[in-house]
Each structure stands twice: as structure tokens, then as C-alpha cells.
Amino acid sequence: MTEPPGAPDASRRFTAREAIALVATDFTDFTDFTDFTDFTDVTDFTDFTELPAPASSGSYGPDGPLAWQGYDASRARAADRTGEEESVVCGTAAIGGEDGGTTTAVLIAFEFGFLGGSLGERTGDRLEAAHTYAREHRLPVVSLVATGGSRMQEGMRALVQLQRVARQSALTRAARLPQIAVLRDPTTGGGWATLGAGADVILALPGAQVGFAGSRVRPPDADPAAYTAEAQRAAGAVDAVVPERELPAALALWLRLLSNPSTDPVPPPPALGDAGLPATGWEAVRAARAPQRPRAEAYLDAFLIHRAAISGDRCGGSDEGMLCGFGVRAEDGRTVAYAAQTGTATRPAGYRTATRLIRLADQLRIPVLTLVDTPGAANDAEAERQGAGAAIAELFGAVAAAETPVTTLLIGEGGSGGALALAAPDNTWATPDSYFSVIAPELAAAILKRPAAEVRATADQLHIRPQDLVELGVVRGVVEPLRSPEPSASPAPPAS
């Protein structure tokens, strides 16, 4: 089939072993083990150590639970062709490079050549064994997915494996262990709707077919470009599309970032601008709105190294004005989760992405830094249709419920509830070139039916300067410029 103009190139199809070799430093196939609980003595994690499959949970006559004629023969041909006994290979692997060390993970690799990588009952056995091993040995789970869905030759016995996989994923998540999916070509059906879309972080190879509907069951007029990794990234369902040559390093970085918990709160970054404290409320507004003021990217670059971003709200949207992800704090090497506004009006997808970030950080016990900088929530009709109120409420709830410490720095505009939703109630700081207000001074004057000439006086009445916020108890203090490594915990003196 000819791809339409502009459609991405199709992804190269790897075998399970090729996919493992791409991301793991080495591979050793221990096929002689019969009990996966015996792997506690493995010490050489430069190899991939395959977990054996436990006995199938069902005992059937010829041709499986449905007595599907020819099923046993199809399985035998698939085994001869691929060298595998089932559609997944599960084991432990060392993932990483020479510069950053390696992380041991449980690795699940689908073999698409084995009946289209379909999920059957024995596939479920192996996936359950993999997750059980991960929890017992406190290891992250990486799934290299390539599947066409559930195995029709096993009927509903195959389909209910999705419930089984979902439960194992939920148990692993409850154990506070990260799950990362890498979407290969194709990733469709139940495999996408469980191991793929259900992962904490989702990476995909360029051009991979990704979608719940496989290529043979889509509407005849469906746009094939909509069922791609790139389309899913645009729709907020995939965090990053990673070229093959960059995948090993990207996966290694994510594993390092997500496997480094900490219970200590993050100190607020120092101020990057050279502005002094504003004398009036309107001066505070002008400083926060100044085009040359340092923005979120500058703060993240100065504070964190080795950043990796998540993208999308998993509900069909993304917002470039909300930067979310994880990075390493330069001073002490700790992993920090960040959610940062970039000065634009935040859209519902941005709030939902930040909520997702904070909940993931809370699950993995990683401290959070939020950077507040927005004139307010987007208030156009489309934002209302996308559930702005509900999205903001979810973020308020995520911040309030987080057990991991959250630190907030107000770096620019703090426009009403759309800004406050991202702020830690008891650990918010401000830069000298910022302000926080219940409403923008211009809108406050309009509501009060004041002339434009009174906007500046209204700004003073709102007490929105950083030093005012300290006096009101809204922020803990005003951080000092970069030359001073620690923030001032006491109220800043008023400007003369």
C-alpha cells in the first residue's frame, strides 16, 4: 500500500531478540531454567537473563481451549520459524551505556513473527511471571511491544488475559516500580490498551503503527497516518517518538531517572533575573510581563541536567505551554520531577499533563518542582469544551494529595486559580520579577467599573508584589539572584 504524502516512513520490524539486543548491553539465553524463582542468584547483569514460563494456567486437549482445528500446527510452525515457544520473551536485562552505568530491569519483548505477537493464555503466564519477578526483586519493567492483539484461536480465554495483565500492571504500580513501554511496529489491540498505553512512560519508534484498531479491522476510509506513533504523540498518548539509534540512550536515561527516589524536598532555584523588588504593584506586573525576563526553560536548564520530558494528557491533547518531565539536580544528583508553565495561558491538556506528572512522581517517591508563570487558564470556548474546570480541579487535588514533597517557584505571572493550581500550599517561593494576583489588575478595574487610568492604583490595592505575598503568608520568601545559593527564608524588606 502506498503511504499518503507526508506520512512517516514505516518502522523497521524487529524480532524479539533483535529488539532486546538493541536496548540491552548483552544477551544470554538461559533456556534450561524451569523455575523463575531461582533467579535470585544471578549476579552478572551485563547479560539478558531470560525468565522461563511457568506452566500454563489452563489444561486443554488438542488445539487449545476452543479445539480450533490446526491451532497446534500453527503454533508449531511459528516456533520453527521464530525459534520461540511463545509470542513474548521475558527476562532480566542490563540497560545502559558506558557513560551512565546500567540499570537492571525486567524486560518483556514481543515476537511478532509468532502468530502476530498475539496474546494467548500462555502469553499471560509469562507476563504474570515477569511482573511477579519484578516486584519480588524491586526492578522496573520495560515492555518492547509489537502485537496484533488477542489470539482469536483461543477466543475469550485469550481476551481475558488483558484483565490479567492489567492486574499485574496495577500491582507493580502499587509496588512503586516504574513501567516503560517502547512501541514497535505494529502495536495494536489489547497489547496497546494494556502494556502499551498503560505504562508510566511511553516511547515509540518512528513510523510504528499504533492504535487500538489493527490495519485489517479499521474503517475502509480511515486515514492510515492517524494510526501511527507520530499521530499518537500529537494526540497526547505517547511521550516521545525516538529514532532507533537514540533508543538505547533514551531508555537508559528514563530508567535512571525513575529509579532514584528521595524523600527530601527540593530547594527553590535562585532567581535568574537581575531585577530588584518592585516599588509598586504595577511595577511588579511590568517586570513579570517583560519579554526579556527569564522563562521556565532557562530555570530548568540552570537547575537540572539530563532532562527527559513527558508529553500529553492521555486524553487526546497536549499543551506546549506546560513543560513536564524529570531531570537530575546538578548539585546533588537527585532526580526531580518538574511541571513548568511557560508564560502562556494554560490549556486543559496542560493541567492534565501536570496532574499526570505529579501523580507519577508521587507513586515513585520523587520530589517535585513546579514553576508558576501564566496569565491564567485559557478561557476560550474550546477550553471550556475540553473541561477546563475539571482539569484544574484534578491538578489542585493532585498537589493537595501528594505525599512526595512539592516545591514551587513563582517566576513570572501568577494569574488567579490557573496559576495557583500548580502551587504547593506551604512551600511556594517567588522571584523578585514576579507577581501573584486573584485577578489581573486590568480585569479587576473593569469589574469594578473603574477607568483605565485607575488600573495602576488597583494593582497596588491587590497587594501582588513578591514582598506583599510574603507578608500575606502566601509565599515563604523571595529567592535571591543566582550568586546567592540559598533562598531567603525571611520576608524581603520593602523597596525604598
Side-chain angles (χ1 to χ4, degrees):
M1 180 179 65
T2 302
E3 293 289 346
D9 294 335
S11 175
R12 181 161 74 93
R13 287 191 174 176
F14 296 90
T15 67
R17 307 288 169 166
E18 289 172 340
I20 292 169
L22 176 63
V23 300
T25 55
D26 245 328
F27 177 79
T28 302
D29 188 2
F30 293 101
T31 57
D32 56 331
F33 291 135
T34 57
D35 184 357
F36 76 92
T37 59
D38 287 341
F39 279 81
T40 54
D41 295 329
V42 173
T43 57
D44 182 8
F45 288 113
T46 60
D47 293 333
F48 175 91
T49 306
E50 186 177 357
L51 303 180
S56 176
S57 54
S59 179
Y60 307 109
D63 292 325
L66 305 185
W68 185 289
Q69 186 174 2
Y71 179 41
D72 285 348
S74 295
R75 285 182 52 88
R77 288 193 298 270
D80 288 341
R81 183 170 58 251
T82 63
E84 307 296 346
E85 296 180 357
E86 197 32 84
S87 58
V88 292
V89 177
C90 304
T92 57
I95 299 175
E98 297 178 358
D99 54 342
T102 59
T103 301
T104 303
V106 167
L107 196 59
I108 296 168
F110 278 72
E111 176 52 69
F112 189 75
F114 193 104
L115 301 181
S118 56
L119 282 78
E121 194 163 10
R122 293 179 184 176
T123 317
D125 292 339
R126 291 186 173 214
L127 296 175
E128 180 172 341
H131 276 270
T132 300
Y133 185 91
R135 293 192 297 272
E136 289 179 350
H137 296 268
R138 304 297 304 165
L139 298 176
V141 177
V142 176
S143 299
L144 310 177
V145 188
T147 174
S150 299
R151 193 169 300 169
M152 62 183 177
Q153 294 94 331
E154 296 185 19
M156 284 302 298
R157 289 304 307 170
L159 190 64
V160 296
Q161 300 308 306
L162 303 184
Q163 296 173 321
R164 187 179 181 188
V165 172
R167 172 168 173 75
Q168 290 304 311
S169 178
L171 291 172
T172 300
R173 183 167 289 110
R176 303 190 186 281
L177 297 170
Q179 300 173 66
I180 301 175
V182 177
L183 311 182
R184 296 153 51 207
D185 184 49
T187 297
T188 60
W192 165 230
T194 51
L195 289 169
D200 298 320
V201 173
I202 305 173
L203 311 178
L205 291 173
Q209 296 181 62
V210 179
F212 188 66
S215 60
R216 298 185 182 183
V217 296
R218 299 168 190 161
D221 59 346
D223 178 6
Y227 300 85
T228 62
E230 289 77 7
Q232 295 290 354
R233 168 69 170 74
V238 166
D239 290 302
V241 177
V242 184
E244 177 185 330
R245 65 183 179 278
E246 299 175 12
L247 180 61
L251 185 56
L253 174 59
W254 271 114
L255 286 170
R256 291 199 301 272
L257 289 172
L258 300 184
S259 302
N260 188 19
S262 172
T263 58
D264 295 328
V266 178
L272 297 182
D274 56 5
L277 288 171
T280 67
W282 188 245
E283 281 188 18
V285 172
R286 291 185 61 188
R289 294 177 180 175
Q292 69 274 16
R293 173 182 57 79
R295 305 285 167 151
E297 281 279 9
Y299 278 92
L300 294 175
D301 287 344
F303 191 68
L304 300 174
I305 57 175
H306 307 308
R307 297 205 319 265
I310 68 168
S311 176
D313 62 358
R314 300 293 189 263
C315 299
S318 59
D319 179 5
E320 294 182 357
M322 179 74 80
L323 307 178
C324 294
F326 296 81
V328 175
R329 185 169 180 256
E331 286 82 352
D332 56 16
R334 286 195 295 155
T335 296
V336 174
Y338 63 86
Q341 292 166 319
T342 64
T344 60
T346 305
R347 305 204 62 79
Y351 291 114
R352 284 191 287 261
T353 304
T355 298
R356 176 184 154 222
L357 181 281
I358 291 171
R359 287 175 174 165
L360 177 56
D362 195 35
Q363 168 201 320
L364 299 178
R365 290 298 185 256
I366 294 172
V368 178
L369 171 68
T370 65
L371 301 179
V372 172
D373 184 11
T374 179
N379 58 8
D380 54 87
E382 185 60 27
E384 295 297 339
R385 283 191 287 267
Q386 293 170 356
I392 295 170
E394 283 291 298
L395 181 54
F396 268 118
V399 173
E403 296 180 10
T404 196
V406 180
T407 301
T408 298
L409 181 62
L410 173 66
I411 64 171
E413 291 194 83
S416 193
L420 188 65
L422 201 60
D426 300 316
N427 196 22
T428 292
W429 303 77
T431 62
D433 49 0
S434 66
Y435 79 90
F436 221 140
S437 180
V438 64
I439 191 172
E442 299 93 333
L443 298 179
I447 291 173
L448 296 172
K449 298 182 179 180
R450 295 177 176 178
E454 295 188 27
V455 168
R456 297 187 178 192
T458 303
D460 285 332
Q461 285 184 284
L462 288 169
H463 290 258
I464 61 179
R465 300 176 304 168
Q467 58 266 43
D468 297 331
L469 301 175
V470 175
E471 292 178 359
L472 291 170
V474 175
V475 303
R476 290 181 60 180
V478 179
V479 295
E480 297 182 358
L482 185 60
R483 62 178 178 273
S484 179
E486 296 297 331
S488 171
S490 58
S496 58

